[in-house]
Amino acid sequence: MKKIHIMMLVACLISPLGWADDKQQAAEKAAAQWLSLLDQKEYAQTWQDASVIIRQQVKVNDWVQSFSQLHQQFGRMQSRRLQSAHYTSDLPDAPAGEYVVLQYHTVYEKKGPAIETVTPTFEKGQWRVSGYYIK
């Protein structure tokens, strides 16, 4: 009987960790799909697939123009490697919600090495990119 209680306690302690890992993996997958569209110059589609947060703040034409200029300046993406992933429910200047902050080490044809930060948020039952920054 003691073994069962101990196993149940361990399962209860481990379950939330697995749950967060599942969310993080789902957010990483959504970000990878979104970045693939970005790399293919499908800028209007990246806007369409982004979170309501982005679509309410930026008009599609402005979004497309900004990314077109960015692509001309940086050139083609040559490599991208995930450096870190952090699940959080609290981000500065963002509404309460579920977020995963992903940082990638990315190399561009003209720019060279850069750090891309992609932040998916859980919205209406799916992960959608709510932030994109590059340095």
Side-chain angles (χ1 to χ4, degrees), residues 13-110:
L13 292 173
I14 291 174
S15 282
L17 297 175
W19 177 69
D21 285 346
D22 289 345
K23 288 184 176 197
Q24 184 173 310
Q25 288 175 357
E28 287 176 25
K29 182 178 178 183
Q33 291 171 343
W34 189 88
L35 286 167
S36 177
L37 290 171
L38 188 67
D39 296 338
Q40 296 170 44
K41 301 181 188 179
E42 297 289 339
Y43 307 131
Q45 189 63 50
T46 63
W47 182 87
Q48 187 65 41
D49 291 352
S51 72
V52 170
I53 295 168
I54 286 177
R55 288 182 281 136
Q56 288 177 343
Q57 292 179 358
V58 183
K59 293 179 182 175
V60 66
N61 292 339
D62 294 338
W63 180 267
V64 169
Q65 183 179 17
S66 294
F67 278 104
S68 293
Q69 290 172 351
L70 185 72
H71 186 264
Q72 288 175 359
Q73 180 184 357
F74 282 43
R76 293 175 14 146
M77 187 276 299
Q78 295 181 320
S79 67
R80 178 179 288 124
R81 180 177 44 86
L82 182 63
Q83 279 188 314
S84 66
H86 174 72
Y87 176 86
T88 185
S89 58
D90 184 35
L91 285 177
D93 301 322
E98 295 183 77
Y99 300 91
V100 177
V101 179
L102 305 165
Q103 286 199 318
Y104 297 87
H105 178 268
T106 307
V107 177
Y108 286 93
E109 178 181 43
K110 296 177 186 175

